[in-house]
């Protein structure tokens, strides 16, 4: 029984950061959507964050340095989030996702997003190097931007790439800027 529990934990958590992984994130999102499907008072929100120029770190300093950096990013973001940290996940590579299960105020969502981006701007000591990081973040609101975890992640991803295209920062999903929307197809 004990080893089965370890296997489940490993299957639901990222080995490098200890954060919940993509599978666990999708479970959390789907459970939240089921819970809130009977109430229109709240809008669950998904934030998707990608580190800017992370590939440059791996290519220049080596993947081991990139891994050491990722191991520090999770705890720093969790510290900024406080209670909401349990909904922070690493999807893979340098992508992190956050589910805000009960947030309907767009201004508050942007405030949380900005707080996370600001936390990354403090130096990360990695060996003899101090790395400064920036990130791009996309935000998607339920139900307007998607009715399930896949649609919301896709919308947040589109918004994140819009933020990257503008040079980093935060972007909220906008169907009009979605070059791959079903309407456009």
């Amino acid at each position: 029984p004990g080893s089965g529990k370890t296997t489940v934990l490993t299957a639901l958590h990222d080995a490098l950061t200890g954060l919940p992984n993509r599978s666990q994130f999708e479970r959390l999102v789907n459970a939240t959507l089921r819970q809130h499907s009977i109430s229109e008072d709240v809008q669950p929100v998904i934030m998707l964050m990608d580190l800017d120029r992370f590939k440059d770190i791996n290519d220049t300093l080596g993947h081991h340095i990139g891994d050491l950096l990722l191991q520090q990013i999770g705890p720093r973001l969790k510290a900024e989030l406080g209670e909401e940290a349990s909904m922070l996940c690493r999807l893979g590579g340098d992508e992190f996702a956050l589910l805000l299960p009960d947030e309907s105020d767009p201004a508050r969502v942007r405030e949380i997003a900005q707080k996370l981006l600001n936390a990354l701007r403090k130096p990360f000591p990695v060996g003899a190097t101090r790395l400064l990081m920036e990130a791009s973040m996309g935000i998607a609101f339920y139900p307007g931007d998607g009715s399930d975890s896949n649609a919301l992640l896709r919308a947040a991803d589109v918004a994140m790439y819009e933020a990257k295209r503008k040079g980093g920062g935060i972007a909220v999903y906008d169907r009009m800027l979605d070059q791959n929307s079903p309407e456009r197809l």
Side-chain angles (χ1 to χ4, degrees):
S3 64
K5 217 176 218 182
T6 303
T7 303
V8 170
L9 284 176
T10 303
L12 299 176
H13 288 79
D14 173 60
L16 184 63
T17 64
L19 293 173
N21 63 16
R22 179 181 292 273
S23 295
Q24 181 68 345
F25 186 71
E26 288 176 3
R27 288 179 186 200
L28 290 168
V29 172
N30 288 328
T32 299
L33 297 182
R34 279 192 304 276
Q35 181 182 12
H36 292 298
S37 65
I38 57 172
S39 173
E40 295 181 14
D41 295 341
V42 294
Q43 285 185 297
V45 176
I46 287 183
M47 295 182 184
L48 185 62
M49 182 180 72
D50 185 78
L51 302 176
D52 296 339
R53 297 175 302 282
F54 184 72
K55 183 180 181 324
D56 292 341
I57 290 170
N58 280 338
D59 291 348
T60 305
L61 302 175
H63 287 267
H64 66 289
I65 298 294
D67 287 350
L68 291 173
L69 175 63
L70 290 172
Q71 289 172 338
Q72 292 184 53
I73 286 176
R76 185 174 295 179
L77 295 176
K78 285 177 77 168
E80 284 297 318
L81 289 167
E83 292 176 16
E84 294 151 345
S86 63
M87 302 290 185
L88 175 69
C89 302
R90 177 175 176 231
L91 299 184
D94 61 329
E95 276 192 347
F96 293 84
L98 173 66
L99 169 66
L100 298 175
D102 296 320
E103 192 57 65
S104 58
D105 179 8
R108 172 83 176 118
V109 171
R110 279 188 168 276
E111 180 182 304
I112 292 168
Q114 192 60 58
K115 185 166 78 165
L116 293 175
L117 294 182
N118 290 344
L120 292 177
R121 291 187 179 119
K122 298 171 190 162
F124 288 91
V126 182
T129 307
R130 292 171 51 90
L131 300 171
L132 299 173
M133 295 304 304
E134 292 190 359
S136 299
M137 187 173 294
I139 300 171
F141 289 87
Y142 173 84
D145 299 334
S147 59
D148 62 32
S149 65
N150 292 324
L152 284 168
L153 269 173
R154 184 195 163 286
D157 191 55
V158 168
M160 181 191 68
Y161 278 101
E162 179 64 18
K164 274 194 178 298
R165 189 185 68 72
K166 291 180 177 178
I170 303 164
V172 175
Y173 179 74
D174 180 350
R175 198 174 302 285
M176 299 302 292
L177 297 175
D178 189 346
Q179 296 297 310
N180 299 306
S181 68
E183 295 85 3
R184 187 173 188 280
L185 181 64

